[in-house]
Structures are given as C-alpha cells and as structure tokens.
Amino acid sequence: WIHFYYALDGTTVNTRSSLTPPPVGPTLQGTEKAWAYCGAARRDGSNNLVFVYFRGAEMMYKTPQIAVNAGTATVETSIDMSPFVPPNALKDHLILAIVEDTITVPGNDVLKIRVATGVDYAFLYGNSFTAFTSAYSNEDICPNISQALFYILVKGSAGNLSSYVEILGYIVPNGDA
C-alpha cells in the first residue's frame, strides 16, 4: 500500500507518498513541519497503481475489485481483504450478490457477511423460483477488522447458487467525515 500525504512548511503545501501509514506518516523534507493524511492506494501485479478516486475519507475504485467470484461455500469461509483494503481502513464498501440458476426446488437463500467468526453483520436475501435465473444484489459498508471478512451461503432452495463479493472502495481515517 502507498499512503499519500500533504506536507506543510509554513507557506507551501507539498505532496508526499510513503509505505508507512499514520500515525507515523512520511519522512518530512527540509523545512516541512507537519503532514496531513490523504489516503492509500495499492499496486497491481505489474507494480502499477490501481486507480482509485479520493473523495474525503472515502477511496473508491474506478473498477470494482472482486473478492469472491461465484462462491458456493455453505460453511463459514474467510475472505482475505488485504489485497483490496489497506490495514488502516476503517470500513469496507461492498456489493453483495446472489445468483440462483437451475432451481429445482424454490426457497429462500441468504448470503451472510460476517466481520468475525460467527458474528453476522450484513445479509442478502434471495427468493428463488423454479425454472428462472434470479439475481439479487445489495450495497453494504462493513467495519474493517484485521482486513478480513467471512461469508456463508444458507440455502433454502435446491439448484445452483453462487455468491459474489465486490469491493467498491474503503474509508480511511483522514479527518473527513
């Protein structure tokens, strides 16, 4: 993660980047006396910055990042959020989705997001119908606890059921509300 800062020398505002998050912050140069935290962005596998928009405390990806793609876990399964959310993030901004396909017995399906083992935080309910493909989605903001989430699919229907978790962005502690 690369953390971005404003650095002040009394008359000029400079920008700084650092691998060090607050509260330590960047190494100040010359006459710089203070810094203010802007936010963080990550690099991709080719060492390029992943495009994010900074707006106040919220960092939004230009393209949503996929953390779970067609997940089918019916037991609690961990989601490593460290590739998508910096360690100092306060909250994760998510899209949750369920896709129901080839349903032979209709029922109510639930995608649960947990912020710790056994601690339900967000829910997405789907009501399936026979011979239809149904998709349900919801946007949620969850607290960032150790860069991890958990998901579980609770099936009430019979047929193909898959879940998706996309990261829209994250909220950092930069003083903005």
Side-chain angles (χ1 to χ4, degrees):
W1 288 93
I2 300 175
H3 301 271
F4 296 92
Y5 299 86
Y6 291 119
L8 312 167
D9 68 6
T11 58
T12 307
V13 177
N14 301 307
T15 57
R16 295 277 171 257
S17 62
S18 173
L19 298 176
T20 308
V24 176
T27 301
L28 297 177
Q29 307 293 315
T31 60
E32 294 173 343
K33 297 178 182 1
W35 55 263
Y37 185 58
C38 299
R42 68 180 178 89
R43 292 184 178 176
D44 63 17
S46 300
N47 212 26
N48 298 312
L49 283 176
V50 175
F51 197 117
V52 291
Y53 296 99
F54 287 49
R55 182 174 178 141
E58 190 158 10
M59 315 290 113
M60 296 294 287
Y61 284 108
K62 181 176 182 181
T63 303
Q65 307 295 294
I66 299 172
V68 176
N69 187 14
T72 58
T74 56
V75 296
E76 183 178 273
T77 302
S78 66
I79 304 170
D80 179 12
M81 297 295 285
S82 64
F84 313 110
V85 178
N88 64 324
L90 302 173
K91 297 179 182 177
D92 312 333
H93 193 157
L94 313 172
I95 290 182
L96 311 176
I98 297 174
V99 176
E100 301 162 325
D101 187 27
T102 321
I103 301 299
T104 55
V105 177
N108 295 317
D109 302 310
V110 182
L111 170 59
K112 294 182 180 184
I113 297 295
R114 294 177 169 173
V115 293
T117 299
V119 181
D120 294 340
Y121 188 83
F123 301 90
L124 176 60
Y125 296 94
N127 187 9
S128 60
F129 300 95
T130 304
F132 286 95
T133 297
S134 303
Y136 303 91
S137 65
N138 191 37
E139 196 171 320
D140 275 293
I141 296 179
C142 295
N144 179 37
I145 300 173
S146 302
Q147 291 177 291
L149 289 174
F150 302 87
Y151 85 98
I152 183 172
L153 278 170
V154 180
K155 292 180 72 169
S157 65
N160 295 330
L161 179 65
S162 55
S163 62
Y164 300 82
V165 177
E166 295 183 354
I167 293 80
L168 293 176
Y170 43 91
I171 297 170
V172 297
N174 68 3
D176 193 28

